[in-house]
Amino acid sequence: MEQDQGCCGTQLIDGDGVFNVEGLDNFTKITKLSQCGLSYAIVAIMGPQSSGKSTLMNHLFRTNFREMDAIRGRSQTTKGIWMAKCVGIEPFTIAMDLEGTDGRERGEDDTAFEKQSALFALAVADIVMINMWCHDIGREQAANKPLLKTVFSVMMRLFSPRKTTLLFVIRDRTKTPLEYLEPILREDIQKIWAAVAKPEAHKSTPLSEFFNVEVTALPSYEEKEEQFEREVAELRQRFFHSISPGGLAGDRRGVVPASGFSFSAQQIWKIIKENKDLDLPAHKVMVATVRCEEIANEKLSLLSSDQGWLALEEAVQAGPVSGFGKKLSSILEFYLSEYENEAIYFDEGVRNAKQKQLESRALDAVHQAYEKDLLILFVPVLNLVWLNLIKVVKMLPLDRPIGMLQNVREKLCRDIETHAASVRSTKLTEIIAKYEKQIADALSGPVEALFEAGELDAWASIRKLLKRETEVAVSEFSTAVASFELDKPTIDTMVQNLREYGRKVVEKNAREEAGKVLIRMKDRFTMIFNHDNDSMPRVWTGKEDIRAITKDARSASLKILSTLAAIRLDEKSDNIENVLFSSLSDGTVSVPSSKDRSIGASSDSLASSTWKEVSPKATLLTPVQCKSLWRQFTAETEYSVTQAISAQEAHKQSNNWLPPPWAIVAMVVLGFNEFMVLLRNPLYLLVLFVVYLLSKALWVQMDITGEFRNGALPGILSISSRLLPTVMNLLRRLAEEAQGRQAPEAPMQQSFSLQNSRNQTQPDPISSTLPESSVSSSCISSTDNEAEYSSPNSTLRQSTKTSEE
């Protein structure tokens, strides 16, 4: 095993729980971790003290963690949490070596640090290796039981746990195969998971929702070092591209960008030390806020000291600068793009908010120079206008200069205001169109997907989506029109129009989906009816409850119908779903009789053109339309149900070889005398037994079951055409076998038969189907007086060759 000094090992947290901030910053700079973005992984290992964790990590990742000296006895080697860069692993991978559990140095009662370090590992690591002894598997009081309980219990302190891969490494593997050990270990894991106290929200959550469980086993390092290193090298390959789809951590979530890892780890450990619950989503937003603020301040500082900007600012003080706006825009775009490149992996909402702040602060920094340049350009224009105005005044009669000057001034002001209003109106129209398109693009696809899913909370999800996307668009719109100096009522009106536009987009999508509701219902019915819970195509074998499956599929389709019956953007409750299920869930649509119609149709809850508590404007499908659609839906899906029932009946008939029960009873009653005759004459039994053997041979040889799989008539035709040749072939083989037994066996023939039996490799298919009672093996004596036994087929061929000679 070759270790590399490039691993840059450092202690992250000491034995007293003190976080090594300076050491982590140095590690980040030396290894260039901050440049990795999201392309990095963290592997942590935990397990009992002195179980070889550091040794395994050093061999696996070529790190230089301190290992236990076995000559000095077993004692604590790793204190706190150590980290190092994994050498030669892609992508960038960090190895964390945690202090061993169940150590005598901390004592039996001091388990606080064990739980804190376990929670820290679960919060930051993508893969957690659990080192355990092979002889502990299946034992109730083994060292791994408290460790697993610790892992699962502290995991519940994460508000939204990450998807972590638990890699169980079984050390000092015994002769028991891994395929026998793994089920026992997984069963123990499930029992511990079921016994751990969980919050109400996760009472029925399966283990697979939070963890991917992998199991591997390694031989003893001390007794089989070469084999250990060889299998560790194979295990090492699994850590290459571990975060790619299909890798060990391919489905991880909630990853903090590498540039924010140092700050994130510090804050996580601080919260754990304060014994607070760790809200990972909120923590992720907090890390994004701090890091994006740092990046924005860094870029603003670089802008202030940029040589190009300083030269431009100095030049504008002396006079007009050619291409001032283009040069200034180029400088600003450079630093804004730098910010985007560094903050791209952080939370999108936080990143965009900090980018807007950076833009505002950058514009404030260059505003003075910008105004200076505009003023320099404006003065010559103003002087030119003033000179032209004076010339016009001098040409007027002496009695009209003052009045004319006043009129010209007023007209000029009106023209300027008119032009400004026209430009402003055009720009506002463009801005409004831009954000209306943004709202439409953000809502159309997700709304259609939610309607297609047909979940019970579809409208609740649509309301949340509408509110979120509308608020984003309104916020950006307000920032965009802030420079137009509009009054508050005008801005409020525009904002309200944007909100109304978002509602109209949802309503338009809802009406389009209501027009396709029958197609959606049939698609949902087909999906549920023809596929099982694992989305695999359903095979009708006769064991399925078609009635229950049909009811579930129709209920899911009815949910889609109830969802698209009305627009529910105002969070008002209605009774549409209950009415539809109570009237239609049995799969039938009641038609009132003439007597009922004479009394009134009030008993039919769907005999109406409006829904209670739903305005006509919000109605997409009236009760009468729902009733008609359901009748059409049941008629069009009835064929699928009928086909399934027919398939079940066909399967039952094809697999049922026994006569009906009444026929079996009749044969027993009517054949009692014949049965007694057989008992009194054992010769009959012998004849029947021989007949049974021949019939069994025919059954196997002709593959009766396979012939009838394609139907009764094809099976009968095929069997009838093959029956006589097969019977003749069997009789011929039996005759040849009998002749072979009666022929004398000379010594030369015996040796020749022995040679044939050794060269024979494939048994004859006909002979292989004969029962043992009808064909016996032959014994041939070799020259060295050792007995060799040949197959029945080889004996048959030997006898035939002897007769021919």
Side-chain angles (χ1 to χ4, degrees), residues 116-142:
Q116 290 172 352
S117 59
L119 180 56
F120 181 79
L122 289 173
V124 303
D126 303 302
I127 304 169
V128 177
M129 300 171 61
I130 298 182
N131 205 46
M132 57 188 304
W133 298 111
C134 181
H135 54 72
D136 283 344
I137 297 178
R139 295 169 54 191
E140 189 61 30
Q141 302 299 327

Side-chain angles (χ1 to χ4, degrees), residues 394-409:
K394 288 180 178 181
M395 295 174 62
L396 295 175
L398 294 175
D399 59 340
R400 297 178 59 191
I402 298 177
M404 187 64 181
L405 183 62
Q406 183 68 23
N407 292 337
V408 171
R409 180 178 179 277

Side-chain angles (χ1 to χ4, degrees), residues 92-348:
F92 188 104
T93 303
I94 299 173
M96 284 190 179
D97 189 8
L98 275 64
E99 179 179 313
T101 61
D102 197 26
R104 64 180 180 82
E105 285 79 4
R106 288 195 179 270
E108 182 178 355
D109 300 326
D110 187 9
T111 60
F113 187 81
E114 292 180 7
K115 295 181 179 180
Q116 290 172 352
S117 59
L119 180 56
F120 181 79
L122 289 173
V124 303
D126 303 302
I127 304 169
V128 177
M129 300 171 61
I130 298 182
N131 205 46
M132 57 188 304
W133 298 111
C134 181
H135 54 72
D136 283 344
I137 297 178
R139 295 169 54 191
E140 189 61 30
Q141 302 299 327
N144 62 305
K145 290 294 181 82
L147 177 60
L148 289 177
K149 291 178 181 177
T150 298
V151 170
F152 291 155
S153 61
V154 299
M155 188 277 303
M156 288 303 163
R157 291 178 56 190
L158 303 178
F159 284 178
S160 180
R162 311 174 68 208
K163 190 66 174 290
T164 306
T165 298
L166 295 182
L167 177 58
F168 288 85
V169 182
I170 302 174
R171 301 295 296 273
D172 292 4
R173 182 182 61 218
T174 59
K175 294 182 179 180
T176 305
L178 180 60
E179 53 267 25
Y180 294 153
L181 294 173
E182 184 172 349
I184 300 174
L185 178 59
R186 289 183 179 273
E187 183 180 355
D188 290 344
I189 295 171
Q190 289 292 344
K191 288 181 180 179
I192 296 173
W193 172 257
V196 170
K198 306 180 186 68
E200 193 64 32
H202 298 306
K203 284 288 185 182
S204 57
T205 304
L207 177 68
S208 58
E209 182 69 20
F210 297 145
F211 296 107
N212 292 323
V213 178
E214 300 285 340
V215 181
T216 188
L218 296 174
S220 173
Y221 173 64
E222 296 179 353
E223 298 176 2
K224 302 177 181 179
E225 183 174 352
E226 292 184 0
Q227 184 181 356
F228 175 86
E229 292 183 354
R230 184 170 60 252
E231 295 189 17
V232 167
E234 295 175 0
L235 178 61
R236 174 184 169 86
Q237 298 302 316
R238 300 182 64 182
F239 289 90
F240 281 86
H241 308 292
S242 59
I243 61 176
S244 301
L248 280 175
D251 55 350
R252 64 176 184 170
R253 53 179 180 245
V255 185
V256 175
S259 61
F261 171 73
S262 177
F263 178 76
S264 172
Q266 295 175 41
Q267 295 301 314
I268 288 176
W269 183 250
K270 179 181 177 183
I271 294 173
I272 292 174
K273 287 290 290 182
E274 293 173 355
N275 200 27
K276 296 179 181 178
D277 288 337
L278 187 56
D279 187 351
L280 287 183
H283 171 78
K284 186 179 178 182
V285 172
M286 183 267 293
V287 172
T289 302
V290 173
R291 279 296 300 146
C292 289
E293 182 74 25
E294 292 177 352
I295 296 172
N297 291 337
E298 178 186 354
K299 300 310 169 187
L300 190 63
S301 175
L302 292 175
L303 171 63
S304 302
S305 59
D306 184 88
Q307 294 299 321
W309 158 244
L310 293 177
L312 193 63
E313 185 180 26
E314 183 178 354
V316 80
Q317 300 299 328
V321 179
S322 177
F324 177 83
K326 185 177 181 180
K327 294 177 181 178
L328 181 59
S329 298
S330 176
I331 295 173
L332 292 176
E333 288 176 0
F334 172 77
Y335 287 104
L336 290 176
S337 63
E338 285 289 307
Y339 169 84
E340 290 180 359
N341 292 336
E342 292 190 26
I344 189 172
Y345 298 113
F346 290 100
D347 182 79
E348 182 178 3

Side-chain angles (χ1 to χ4, degrees), residues 655-661 664:
N655 289 333
N656 188 10
W657 293 92
L658 294 176
I664 296 176

Side-chain angles (χ1 to χ4, degrees), residues 525-678:
F525 178 87
T526 303
M527 174 59 67
I528 297 179
F529 188 77
N530 292 332
H531 296 80
D532 56 20
N533 294 332
D534 297 326
S535 299
M536 298 297 293
R538 203 185 296 275
V539 179
W540 304 105
T541 61
K543 299 179 181 179
E544 299 82 11
D545 187 353
I546 294 184
R547 181 181 296 274
I549 295 173
T550 304
K551 185 176 181 180
D552 292 341
R554 287 181 173 172
S555 297
S557 302
L558 194 55
K559 289 178 183 177
I560 295 180
L561 182 61
S562 65
T563 300
L564 290 171
I567 298 172
R568 303 175 178 90
L569 289 177
D570 297 325
E571 299 188 16
K572 294 181 180 179
S573 60
D574 57 63
N575 206 31
I576 294 177
E577 184 178 345
N578 294 334
V579 171
L580 289 176
F581 270 85
S582 62
S583 302
L584 306 176
S585 60
D586 59 349
T588 61
V589 178
S590 60
V591 179
S593 62
S594 58
K595 182 177 180 180
D596 294 334
R597 287 195 294 267
S598 64
I599 297 174
S602 59
S603 59
D604 188 356
S605 56
L606 297 180
S608 173
S609 59
T610 58
W611 298 103
K612 292 182 180 180
E613 302 175 353
V614 178
S615 65
K617 184 179 179 181
T619 300
L620 298 175
L621 299 170
T622 64
V624 175
Q625 290 174 327
C626 290
K627 185 176 180 179
S628 176
L629 286 168
W630 185 255
R631 184 184 294 112
Q632 184 178 354
F633 166 76
T634 53
E636 294 183 9
T637 56
E638 194 69 30
Y639 178 75
S640 299
V641 180
T642 305
Q643 288 293 100
I645 295 175
S646 301
Q648 274 195 345
E649 293 298 327
H651 190 274
K652 289 179 181 178
Q653 292 177 4
S654 64
N655 289 333
N656 188 10
W657 293 92
L658 294 176
W662 62 267
I664 296 176
V665 174
M667 285 189 292
V668 171
V669 174
L670 297 177
F672 180 75
N673 293 333
E674 288 75 6
F675 179 71
M676 295 304 296
V677 170
L678 291 176

